[in-house]
Amino acid sequence: MGSGEGVVALFTLSLLFVSYEVVDSAIGVNWGTLSFHKMRPSTVVDLLKANKITKVKLFDTNPDALRALMGTGIQVMVGIPNEMLSSFNSDLFVQQNLSRFIGKNGADIRYVAVGNEPFLTGYGGQFQNLVVPAMVNLQQSLVKANLANYVKLVVPCNADAYEANVPSQGTFRPELTQIMTQLVSFLNSNGSPFVVNIYPFLSLYGNSDFPQDYAFFEGSSHPVPDGPNTYYNAFDGNFDTLVSALTKLGYGQMPIVIGEIGWPTDGAVGANLTAARVFNQGLISHVLSNKGTPLRPGSPPADVYLFGLLDEGAKSTLPGNFERHWGIFSFDGQAKYRLNLGLGNRGLKNAKDVAYLPSRWCVAHPARDMTLVGDHLRLACSEADCTTLNDGGSCSQLGEKDNISYAFNSYYQMQMQNEKSCDFDGLGMVTFLDPSVGDCRFLVGVTDKGLSSSAEAMARWSICHICIGVLIWTLTM
């Protein structure tokens, strides 16, 4: 059966009404792993448990992460990268990535994300015709494996999939109308929610005319009137634009899950600890109040996954240096600011038993002439993370020598403190005195020894393809 025939057959056989259970909103997190300094998966899972986080979203099917999540009761969303949609074997995928982990004392995998923002305008449509056929094949494989009633298929969409001047006019982009009609029919038939990623920070970052207070939840001096409704924050406006778009397709009551939302703490003007805390706390309070939005009063999103759990120092910086600083925790699981997730703890609890490298740092040699340091700085910062040194960053006010030391140390830690990596033709030296300055933290790396070779290969593959995707996205912004 061809993929088109499969879609028609599936829709024809799926005319039964699907009712959705109304549940309280839950706060989950995105666990991204594009980092030079990865904690052991078991340490990350202990961090989730300590903070009573019961829902986590992965961007792949990392076997080490899934093993660590087994027996915890934490509900998991796994992901299939866009580049796999055209070639993966659905039966094999279910067998290797779902069936072998699900079961008594297994991983509680509830969702499979088919692609990640595959309809992004920057991709030029290259993935959009692959999504529904892939979902149909996966659904059939889930049925064969007796998992179809337990594992649901979803497609995380970027908010650029829909558009409007005001929320009530929301529609999906014209070129997506047919595919979205098929997609939401599929989701409805199988009891799956619509998953969307919403980023008020990016609206503010990319538009100098965007009212700053409209990005937060404290009320705005620039509200958006829309008929009988008035919008005081970007989240509600964006959410209701999607509600309107779904309504126009006949699915106005479809549950909506927020797949990604958050605020970075570094790497740009406006990306700082205070703004991130105010945004995320405002979001959590808004969602858990069950107030809902003007078009869905009393009905907030089904789930909200904060982006992200940890900083990811290996992410591409093409969209901006802030890309490496979305975590509510630093790369080593230390809370960046006070945040009440509404899950029983008043604040965040830090990771324990983190496997740090020894307490030593690489700094600029105080007795050496740094005139010829330029090439070494370029090498260090082309491979390691120096984003906090740039304008708007937490280390942007350092003096020249401290700048050099920060770059040297970032490279040294990325190289797992290899002695030769602090040489820089005699310009560097190892110190046992913490060179951190004020709010600028000179890191000590961590180790995740014990990862399987397959997981490491998957991480390298993901970095390559995500960088390509971000480049395409950036060029169209």
Side-chain angles (χ1 to χ4, degrees):
M1 182 183 294
S3 60
E5 294 172 314
V7 171
V8 173
L10 182 71
F11 292 159
T12 302
L13 294 172
S14 303
L15 297 178
L16 294 176
F17 174 75
V18 177
S19 61
Y20 295 98
E21 180 183 1
V22 178
V23 296
D24 290 335
S25 295
I27 303 297
V29 293
N30 284 269
W31 176 6
T33 56
L34 296 180
S35 177
F36 297 124
H37 307 282
K38 295 188 186 75
M39 291 187 292
R40 288 189 292 257
S42 59
T43 303
V44 178
V45 170
D46 286 343
L47 176 66
L48 295 173
K49 291 162 62 177
N51 286 281
K52 301 183 180 180
I53 296 170
T54 59
K55 293 176 183 283
V56 66
K57 179 168 167 278
L58 308 178
F59 291 91
D60 50 29
T61 52
N62 184 295
D64 295 305
L66 291 176
R67 288 190 193 98
L69 287 161
M70 293 176 70
T72 63
I74 296 173
Q75 296 181 11
V76 185
M77 181 187 299
V78 297
I80 302 173
N82 295 327
E83 292 78 10
M84 286 180 59
L85 296 180
S86 63
S87 59
F88 80 105
N89 180 303
S90 61
D91 286 342
L92 193 60
F93 175 87
V94 170
Q95 176 187 340
Q96 292 184 343
N97 300 293
L98 302 181
S99 296
R100 75 177 175 129
F101 292 108
I102 294 175
K104 186 177 181 181
N105 296 319
D108 191 5
I109 301 173
R110 296 296 185 95
Y111 295 107
V112 176
V114 183
N116 185 41
E117 301 186 339
F119 310 120
L120 200 66
T121 53
Y123 291 140
Q126 71 181 103
F127 301 117
Q128 69 182 47
N129 292 325
L130 304 176
V131 175
V132 172
M135 295 184 82
V136 169
N137 291 333
L138 266 173
Q139 185 66 26
Q140 293 169 346
S141 297
L142 289 173
V143 170
K144 291 180 193 175
N146 293 317
L147 292 174
N149 291 328
Y150 190 74
V151 179
K152 301 299 181 182
L153 304 179
V154 296
V155 180
C157 292
N158 187 280
D160 78 344
Y162 46 90
E163 55 194 11
N165 291 323
V166 292
S168 64
Q169 297 175 3
T171 59
F172 289 106
R173 298 197 322 256
E175 71 272 22
L176 294 180
T177 300
Q178 182 176 359
I179 189 75
M180 281 298 178
T181 301
Q182 292 180 335
L183 173 60
V184 296
S185 178
F186 180 97
L187 297 174
N188 182 69
S189 298
N190 292 286
S192 297
F194 192 101
V195 179
V196 63
N197 302 338
I198 296 177
Y199 281 106
F201 171 81
L202 294 181
S203 299
L204 180 63
Y205 178 79
N207 183 358
S208 59
D209 295 327
F210 192 89
Q212 181 168 333
D213 59 1
Y214 191 64
F216 296 88
F217 296 88
E218 314 299 308
S220 174
S221 58
H222 301 82
V224 175
D226 182 13
N229 299 316
T230 302
Y231 290 86
Y232 294 94
N233 66 77
F235 175 80
D236 284 358
N238 197 312
F239 186 91
D240 276 1
T241 303
L242 172 58
V243 171
S244 294
L246 290 170
T247 300
K248 290 178 175 63
L249 295 184
Y251 298 92
Q253 299 305 312
M254 175 168 283
I256 295 173
V257 164
I258 308 302
E260 297 177 25
I261 187 168
W263 200 278
T265 58
D266 213 328
V269 175
N272 56 66
L273 296 173
T274 299
R277 181 188 61 79
V278 170
F279 178 83
N280 282 328
Q281 194 63 74
L283 168 71
I284 293 167
S285 299
H286 181 61
V287 169
L288 296 185
S289 72
N290 290 323
K291 178 181 178 181
T293 64
L295 293 187
R296 284 197 176 176
S299 182
D303 293 315
V304 175
Y305 293 86
L306 296 179
F307 191 88
L309 178 64
L310 304 166
D311 281 348
E312 298 177 81
K315 288 191 72 176
S316 169
T317 59
L318 288 172
N321 292 319
F322 56 82
E323 276 297 315
R324 296 179 174 177
H325 304 282
W326 289 97
I328 58 175
F329 293 92
S330 53
F331 73 96
D332 54 352
Q334 305 307 296
K336 295 185 187 177
Y337 47 85
R338 184 176 180 83
L339 186 67
N340 185 342
L341 296 173
L343 301 173
N345 294 338
R346 291 187 177 182
L348 299 176
K349 294 186 179 297
N350 293 333
K352 295 181 178 180
D353 301 321
V354 178
Y356 286 102
L357 299 177
S359 295
R360 56 190 180 216
W361 298 261
C362 179
V363 297
H365 198 298
R368 299 287 192 269
D369 181 0
M370 295 291 156
T371 303
L372 300 179
V373 77
D375 287 344
H376 298 297
L377 285 179
R378 280 186 284 274
L379 167 67
C381 291
S382 67
E383 297 196 25
D385 179 24
C386 298
T387 53
T388 58
L389 294 175
N390 297 311
D391 289 345
S394 60
C395 300
S396 60
Q397 303 302 313
L398 294 180
E400 180 181 1
K401 206 121 188 183
D402 285 335
N403 264 297
I404 297 169
S405 293
Y406 187 94
F408 281 7
N409 185 63
S410 294
Y411 181 78
Y412 174 65
Q413 302 296 340
M414 189 199 77
Q415 297 293 331
M416 305 300 286
Q417 298 185 355
N418 182 291
E419 184 179 356
K420 294 181 180 179
S421 68
C422 188
D423 181 52
F424 298 106
D425 288 340
L427 299 181
M429 61 171 280
V430 173
T431 179
F432 296 92
L433 298 175
D434 186 350
S436 298
V437 180
D439 292 332
C440 178
R441 177 187 177 199
F442 283 56
L443 64 87
V444 171
V446 302
T447 179
D448 62 349
K449 288 180 180 178
L451 273 186
S452 68
S453 58
S454 63
E456 291 181 355
M458 182 180 294
R460 288 195 296 270
W461 184 92
S462 296
I463 290 172
C464 172
H465 286 277
I466 289 176
C467 286
I468 292 171
V470 172
L471 173 60
I472 296 172
W473 176 79
T474 304
L475 293 174
T476 62
M477 287 297 288

